[in-house]
Structure formats: structure tokens, C-alpha cells
Amino acid sequence: MGEVLALVEARLRTALGEPDARAAVTFLGTDRIEVLRFVDGDLVRYATLGMSARPMADPTAVLADPVKGPRAELVLTVRAGLADTDKVLRPLAVLASTPQVEGVIVAPGASLDVGEPLWPDAPSARCSSPSRAGWSRTWNWTGRWTRCGSCRCCR
């Protein structure tokens, strides 16, 4: 388990550079989840570390295979200085613990919900203001926002 996390952290450092901060959260009955913060100019990236410690398993399986199965980590990219995004640490850790707590397999296109904004005044998943160009602010499967450009959260 530790060797997997060491490899994941090495890959994160290779791709994103050195983290300038990290926080750890442990929930009852789960392994430790860390959230690392990487700053790159005006972008801040938060990456979980710990979700991939164990393979995700089908909750209906009689016995979970300790080696086989998908593994994942979460990465969130935001613009620096526009909001207090450092409050995203706990919600990201909650999302990263979902496979252990609820037995959910997280895959591309999966939807995870914490029931509240990821940070105070975070933009909603869908922009409520109409767009001049006809776009709405939505998260698409490629991991990019489409913006309406007219509301406060899209500017």
C-alpha cells in the first residue's frame, strides 16, 4: 500500500512540481487521505493522495482482490486569488474516501457529491444566468469548464 502511494506522489511531483502545502484527514474506518496543493502561476491545483492506496472494489463482491481493480486520485484546478479555495481540502478528502466508505468505483464520468459547495462562494455546477453565446457553465468529461461569460462566476 505504501509503495503505491510513493509512486503516485512521485508522479504528481513529476507532473505538477513540488507541493507548497499538504493536509491530512483521517475519517473513522478509512485510511489517511492527504490533499496536496501545487501552485503554478495563477493556477492552484489540489490533488488527493491516498484514494489509490487500495484498489476500488465492487461492493457486491464476496471478496475484494487486494491487487486488481481500478485506482484513482482526484485533481482540482482553480484560479488563484479569486476565492478562499483552501477550504476545499476537507471536501476533497471526503470525496477521495468515497470508495472506502461507500464501496463506489470512481470512473470517468462518475458524479460525486458532498451536498454543499466545495468552498465558500464556489460557483455552482450549472450557471443560472443566460448566456449571450448560448453556453452554460458546466463541467464536461474532458475536465474543462464551458463558460457563459456573463455571470460573476464565469468572469
Side-chain angles (χ1 to χ4, degrees):
M1 180 171 78
E3 61 201 35
V4 169
L5 292 182
L7 291 171
V8 171
E9 185 170 359
R11 178 64 182 124
L12 287 170
R13 288 174 186 262
T14 301
L16 304 174
E18 288 298 313
D20 74 329
R22 66 191 311 146
V25 179
T26 305
F27 300 104
L28 186 62
T30 67
D31 295 328
R32 175 183 165 132
I33 303 287
E34 291 188 71
V35 180
L36 287 65
R37 183 179 68 192
F38 300 89
V39 178
D40 181 21
D42 68 333
L43 296 178
V44 179
R45 289 186 174 88
Y46 298 92
T48 61
L49 182 62
M51 185 177 175
S52 62
R54 299 171 191 240
M56 292 180 268
D58 184 353
T60 61
V62 177
L63 185 63
D65 190 316
V67 179
K68 294 181 182 176
R71 297 175 191 249
E73 294 292 349
L74 304 175
V75 178
L76 173 69
T77 303
V78 295
R79 295 227 180 267
L82 298 179
D84 188 10
T85 56
D86 280 345
K87 302 235 167 131
V88 77
L89 302 175
R90 183 170 175 77
L92 269 182
V94 167
L95 292 173
S97 68
T98 301
Q100 290 182 44
V101 174
E102 297 180 17
V104 174
I105 295 177
V106 179
S111 178
L112 299 172
D113 185 21
V114 289
E116 61 188 17
L118 287 177
W119 63 87
D121 298 324
S124 64
R126 211 172 270 291
C127 176
S128 60
S129 65
S131 159
R132 288 173 273 149
W135 296 94
S136 63
R137 184 176 173 85
T138 58
W139 185 256
N140 66 30
W141 70 273
T142 61
R144 304 223 184 259
W145 286 105
T146 55
R147 300 171 182 258
C148 73
S150 62
C151 71
R152 181 182 69 79
C153 64
C154 292
R155 283 182 258 156

